[in-house]
Amino acid sequence: DIDHLNLRVQKELVEWLNWLKADIGFDGWRFDFAKGYSADVAKIYIDRSEPSFAVAEIWTSLAYGGDGKPNLNQDQHRQELVNWVDKVGSKGPATTFDFTTKGILNVAVEGELWRLRGTDGKAPGMIGWWPAKAVTLVDNHDTGSTQHMWPFPSDRVMQGYAYILTHPGTPCIFYDHYFDWGLKEEIDRLVSVRTRHGIHSESKLQIIEADADLYLAEIDGKVIVKLGPRYDVGNLIPGGFKVAAHGNDYAVW
């Protein structure tokens, strides 16, 4: 164990971070198991090494109901993520992985897409509150891969990417999905849509529909994304929009 309250430990870790930055060329940090030490300590490391980007892994359990599924209201879960960023410094480079969105998406794509509209009408994860500080994901080395601790439904992974790559927040792509699953071209198409239309972490999200079999949303008035098996949605798509990417139970205009 590392005693992060020990001043010598702090000093040596800061020196190591600055060496990684100056000599090796890293310019961002990932804080593993960030709930294992205080945000005040993380703030010391960020303030004294000044990375251009920092993301924390604060992975805690969602609130579950008696049916074993996440509650519709996950405000306490996303508040914990928001609190960490607030304590570390909202004006700095600190962000957190949006595990709230990940957990809700896991279940929503299994025929419960209504979950993707929160009680306030916004996205139900951290991106609904503070998208600039939310790093969205479908899976990572812990949740998916060989560890398989909280995997996304494997036959619906591209629905997950259609969501995070069109929505606000800072999306990240899992190595396994991109290089090992044969999804590179499909993911690349979604990335190019995001890039071409300038979708960014603070883009404006308007949820048009959120039913069991259909989620439809418009981002910045430029991009529309559909998740779910419902096919006939032409009446909901404004004129002038053309399909730019599509796959199993998703489409992007």
Side-chain angles (χ1 to χ4, degrees):
D1 290 349
I2 296 174
D3 180 6
H4 287 283
L5 296 179
N6 183 300
L7 295 181
R8 181 180 170 187
V9 168
Q10 291 178 7
K11 178 175 177 289
E12 292 187 355
L13 276 173
V14 167
E15 287 174 355
W16 178 63
L17 290 172
N18 281 312
W19 172 78
L20 285 172
K21 196 173 139 189
D23 289 20
I24 309 300
F26 286 105
D27 64 353
W29 315 134
R30 175 188 183 274
F31 287 89
D32 192 51
F33 192 64
K35 65 179 183 178
Y37 45 92
S38 75
D40 296 328
V41 168
K43 177 175 171 59
I44 290 169
Y45 297 141
I46 290 174
D47 288 351
R48 296 181 189 174
S49 64
E50 298 184 339
S52 61
F53 180 76
V55 60
E57 180 202 41
I58 303 163
W59 183 6
T60 57
S61 178
L62 272 65
Y64 288 89
D67 59 358
K69 293 183 177 180
N71 295 336
L72 181 60
N73 187 319
Q74 295 293 337
D75 287 358
Q76 186 176 345
H77 193 269
R78 54 180 174 173
Q79 187 66 53
E80 190 175 0
L81 303 178
V82 165
N83 289 348
W84 188 90
V85 176
D86 259 335
K87 286 179 182 173
V88 172
S90 59
K91 290 186 169 66
T95 64
T96 63
F97 286 113
D98 188 352
F99 281 111
T100 319
T101 289
K102 149 76 173 159
I104 293 168
L105 260 180
N106 268 24
V107 181
V109 297
E110 301 272 33
E112 299 181 1
L113 291 165
W114 48 268
R115 291 178 176 275
L116 296 179
R117 175 157 51 196
T119 51
D120 57 3
K122 299 178 181 178
M126 187 181 178
I127 58 170
W129 279 1
W130 203 358
K133 296 295 187 177
V135 175
T136 50
L137 72 155
V138 174
D139 265 326
N140 66 21
H141 60 285
D142 289 321
T143 67
S145 197
T146 53
Q147 298 200 63
H148 229 60
M149 291 167 72
W150 198 29
F152 203 85
S154 59
D155 58 335
R156 299 166 197 263
V157 159
M158 283 308 305
Q159 284 187 60
Y161 281 111
Y163 184 88
I164 70 169
L165 289 171
T166 56
H167 277 52
T170 302
C172 57
I173 297 163
F174 184 35
Y175 182 101
D176 291 24
H177 293 158
Y178 194 75
F179 291 105
D180 300 338
W181 286 38
L183 300 176
K184 181 180 185 298
E185 286 186 16
E186 260 190 284
I187 291 172
D188 280 347
R189 271 197 294 276
L190 292 170
V191 170
S192 71
V193 169
R194 185 180 186 87
T195 305
R196 192 162 64 244
H197 294 285
I199 305 302
H200 54 88
S201 64
E202 296 183 85
S203 285
K204 185 186 176 192
L205 172 67
Q206 181 197 352
I207 298 171
I208 301 168
E209 201 75 62
D211 293 328
D213 63 342
L214 172 68
Y215 172 79
L216 194 70
E218 186 174 305
I219 301 89
D220 282 349
K222 300 174 183 176
V223 171
I224 294 176
V225 61
K226 175 195 89 93
L227 304 183
R230 194 187 301 181
Y231 186 76
D232 186 16
V233 296
N235 60 315
L236 298 172
I237 308 297
F241 280 86
K242 294 180 180 176
V243 175
H246 64 89
N248 184 27
D249 288 346
Y250 79 88
V252 177
W253 289 262

